[in-house]
Amino acid sequence: MTEWYLLLLVLGLFVVAYIPRVFPMLYFTHRKVPAWFSEWMKYVPVALFAALAFKDVFITHEHLDIAWNIKIAAMILVVGVAYKTRSMALSVITGLASVFLLSML
């Protein structure tokens, strides 16, 4: 692989990653977003986070692990703290501390 090939590859990856982020921003700057769309978009970050977290919490060694899973207990604690405080920092600290302490048992 030559240096030009790598440079073109990086530039191509940049363009492919950049366009989907900029296009909606440019499109919606001059248009009014429907109320139903704004309401629906509130759930997208939560759904994406849940999809990413599900695999880490419930799946270990390529199979579903529910019995005696310390990550489920930690997740329940984090959900409680997040619901009560609405603090991302406190939720992350609670999750890290609970996984650490439960793994020590």
Side-chain angles (χ1 to χ4, degrees), residues 16-75:
V16 168
Y18 188 71
I19 288 175
R21 288 169 176 81
V22 169
F23 180 71
M25 192 168 52
L26 294 175
Y27 180 77
F28 287 116
T29 54
H30 302 293
R31 289 171 181 77
K32 179 130 175 83
V33 178
W36 64 267
F37 185 74
S38 293
E39 187 67 29
W40 179 76
M41 287 301 288
K42 290 180 189 176
Y43 299 106
V44 171
V46 175
L48 289 173
F49 179 74
L52 291 171
F54 180 84
K55 184 175 185 284
D56 187 49
V57 171
F58 292 104
I59 298 176
T60 56
H61 305 296
E62 302 300 322
H63 63 73
L64 188 63
D65 184 19
I66 296 176
W68 304 106
N69 190 346
I70 63 169
K71 291 180 184 177
I72 294 174
M75 180 190 66

Side-chain angles (χ1 to χ4, degrees), residues 72-85:
I72 294 174
M75 180 190 66
I76 292 169
L77 288 171
V78 169
V79 166
V81 168
Y83 182 76
K84 183 78 172 165
T85 65

